[in-house]
Amino acid sequence: MKTALVTGAAGFVGRHMEAELLRRGWSVDVCDIDDYAGGIDAHDIFRACRDVYDLVVHAAATAPHRAAIDGLPMNMALDLALDAAMFEWAVRTGQRRVLYLSSSAAYPIDYQRDFATARPLSEAMVRFDRYNIGTPDASYGWAKLTGERMAAAAVLAGLPVHVVRPFSGYGEDQGVDWPFGAFLDRARRREDPFLIWGTGEQVRDWIHIDDVVTGALAVVDADVREPINLCTGVGTSMRDLAAMMCAEAGYRAAFDLREDAPAGVACRVGDPTRMLDVYRPGVSLAEGVRRAMRALVGQ
């Protein structure tokens, strides 16, 4: 039986990754960061564990949502320490391979600041052999960019590492700190006016959590060793997503736009070309919204 360790198992991606690996017949151990109620602290694993896993999925991070990214910049220090401890442990103990969950936040914001200059974000836009690699999105982007640099160092030390860059992952059980989860909760309550942070015109590349997980594992199965986007290549604005949610809930709402709230960059859409060689997303945003609303009705 194949064995895996999933870090960040209390989080959105981590718990779905654990469920998928279990569904595939893997034996899975889990851990999270120190506020994981009743669970094992990842730092304790990295200090003391000598088990060797077929796959280590490193999804743990500190509150990777917009309010924390903009409001808690010192989370960067916590995330860097976590990634450094994981890679040092993985090399020292001879882990068989690591799947590192990076982020689209690692991309230079110069390509995302406004609609006039925005373009699909391709993996080649992040290069460590340049004098200026471009400024990523806030401290969280710097943490993920540095995590990718640690991954490259671990590869030089002999560790097989796969790096994926998920764009805006979403799903029916996502928390309300993320836009999709927050919008779903507002639609459930038939909120009117419907609150949207920013202008509502911010565009994101929404990818269902099923496609994030199965796409990431497809990268591992294909033994791809270069970073790969997990995205759809399709951009949808916050305003349009809110309208889809309201329509699925059976009502129309006015929008309450809070332009002083954290909103992120203007446009972030991925280039799926490299990913399509190994995986093709199967859940459209419309279907994802339908699934989420049906799950609420079933509660």
Side-chain angles (χ1 to χ4, degrees):
M1 178 181 292
K2 293 181 179 179
T3 60
L5 172 69
V6 176
T7 76
F12 181 55
V13 175
R15 65 176 177 265
H16 281 271
M17 187 66 73
E18 177 192 3
E20 177 61 19
L21 288 169
L22 288 171
R23 188 189 70 79
R24 296 184 183 197
W26 288 57
S27 172
V28 182
D29 291 340
V30 297
C31 60
D32 209 284
I33 52 180
D34 59 4
D35 60 353
Y36 182 27
I40 300 173
D41 185 348
H43 291 284
D44 291 336
I45 292 286
F46 302 147
R47 279 189 292 266
C49 179
R50 295 294 184 271
D51 294 339
V52 176
Y53 295 93
D54 293 307
L55 179 64
V56 176
V57 179
H58 187 50
T62 307
H65 53 75
R66 193 74 248 171
I69 289 170
D70 287 357
L72 298 172
M74 276 305 292
N75 279 353
M76 177 184 180
L78 301 175
D79 287 336
L80 288 175
L82 182 66
D83 287 357
M86 187 281 296
F87 279 118
E88 188 280 330
W89 165 79
V91 170
R92 171 169 44 86
T93 56
Q95 299 302 312
R96 294 191 176 96
R97 65 183 61 233
V98 168
L99 171 61
Y100 180 68
L101 274 294
S102 183
S103 170
S104 56
Y107 281 107
I109 57 173
D110 285 347
Y111 301 123
Q112 310 170 58
R113 290 182 189 275
D114 56 64
F115 294 103
T117 59
R119 50 183 165 142
L121 302 172
S122 68
E123 293 86 351
M125 291 177 178
V126 175
R127 287 178 51 186
F128 294 106
D129 59 349
R130 293 175 176 169
Y131 174 73
N132 182 1
I133 63 173
T135 302
D137 187 358
S139 59
Y140 181 68
W142 277 115
K144 286 302 183 182
L145 195 61
T146 308
E148 290 194 26
R149 190 66 190 89
M150 291 184 205
V155 168
L156 292 176
L159 179 70
V161 181
H162 310 280
V163 175
V164 292
R165 297 174 185 151
F167 278 66
S168 294
Y170 72 93
E172 48 267 31
D173 61 335
Q174 192 169 39
V176 297
D177 288 327
W178 284 263
F180 188 93
F183 285 10
L184 183 63
D185 180 64
R186 290 166 193 162
R188 176 187 62 82
R189 293 184 284 104
R190 300 177 71 85
E191 184 177 271
D192 188 6
F194 193 107
L195 175 63
I196 301 176
W197 288 6
T199 65
E201 302 304 323
Q202 314 94 284
V203 168
R204 296 294 181 267
D205 188 331
W206 306 92
I207 179 167
H208 194 273
I209 186 61
D210 287 356
D211 287 319
V212 171
V213 168
T214 51
L217 292 176
V219 170
V220 175
D221 291 341
D223 197 26
V224 178
R225 303 292 180 90
E226 56 188 358
I228 288 194
N229 289 337
L230 298 177
C231 64
T232 67
V234 177
T236 303
S237 71
M238 296 291 179
R239 184 190 290 267
D240 286 345
L241 175 60
M244 292 171 66
M245 290 280 193
C246 293
E248 195 64 33
Y251 80 111
R252 296 182 66 180
F255 295 135
D256 176 13
L257 304 176
R258 301 288 179 86
E259 296 191 34
D260 59 340
V265 295
C267 184
R268 178 174 292 162
V269 177
D271 179 350
T273 302
R274 187 178 292 180
M275 177 196 67
L276 293 175
D277 287 338
V278 296
Y279 184 75
R280 186 171 296 274
V283 183
S284 69
L285 181 56
E287 174 60 22
V289 169
R290 283 192 292 271
R291 288 187 188 185
M293 294 304 299
R294 285 199 299 265
L296 284 179
V297 171
Q299 288 179 354

